[in-house]
Amino acid sequence: MALLSGRRIALIGGAGFIGHNLALGLRAEGAEVAIVDSLQINNLLAFVGEGVTQHRALYTRILHERLALLEAAGVPLYVQDARDYHPLTAVLKRIQPDAIVQLAAVAHANRSNKDPHSTFDHSLRTLENALDYSRGNVQHFVYFSSSMVYGNFPDGFASEDTPCHPMGIYGALKLAGELIVKSYHQVFGLPYTIVRPSALYGERCVSRRVGQIFIENAIAGQDIVVQGDGTDRLDFTCVHDLVHGIMCVLARPEAKNETFNLTYGTGRSIAELADVVRKEFPGITVRYEPKDALMPDRGTLDVAKARRMIGYTPQHPLERGYERYIGWYKGFHPAFAVPAAVAMPRTRTAVPA
């Protein structure tokens, strides 16, 4: 996208699953991308202590690969906790972005319900700090919300005009973030875009999302465990489609002061996802457990507005996207291959407090 070439874009929380894929995509389009991340949430610092033991070796290798790819692409990483107002401001003054994409958050609904204080701290405190710098300094603020703001989808369908009735801490904080972003536009004239993804999947995720768990269980020869009876529907979205959508948001002036669903645009059942995984791993058993009471009944998100206004064109239906995702796992996971060791980046940029 020619309109992204030369743009200075800061990704706060950008070393995560979504952020590093977005950084690589933007860099490939000629944007000057910089990442600000504490490496604490679903990242290296979360896996070095004794608290996380499951898949530690695998996830550490994945995280090393993220950093190596960012270094190879020339994307600087500023290791800074966005909860700290003055140090974050110093970093952003150094980067001088014309656009900020706010990704920092605890990106897991169940974890948010178990630890609301940490979720608030990493979601709303980081957001307020980023917004306060942005007023008068940036031309575009992009906020990552979630389809969880809708709560139960009426008749299994939600458009941007569907009333929001979130269930649980995660969805409530995401909706609160949307209102705060809009208030900065009302008070300070800060141009914004709010995006609502859903059921993301793709390479180098360590967040234990549903598809990732299915694949890792299948590789280990364990049961695929489905919460509920398998009929629950999600709008599974490949991270590469989301990256395309965010690039459309950043490139098109029409995106400013708007909210967009950025998903594939078709709800598919959990049972269908399990079947896609079983085709790649014959003989795996599917087991059913009770559904979490705080998980809403969802389905399809309408992406017609994003298609019409910003040229969003998702390319990965469930079967195609998971074929790509599972193919990556088979090329990376030690059960199938022994890839060359990925060295830690030799240098990372850090700004002292």
Side-chain angles (χ1 to χ4, degrees), residues 41 58 122 149 181 188 197 296 298 345 348:
I41 304 298
L58 173 64
H122 286 282
V149 299
V181 169
F188 302 110
R298 293 184 281 174
R348 290 201 302 273

Side-chain angles (χ1 to χ4, degrees), residues 120-139:
F120 180 97
D121 219 29
H122 286 282
S123 299
L124 292 189
R125 195 175 305 282
T126 58
L127 173 61
E128 197 282 328
N129 288 344
L131 284 167
D132 196 67
Y133 169 82
S134 297
R135 57 190 178 99
N137 289 315
V138 305
Q139 302 167 18

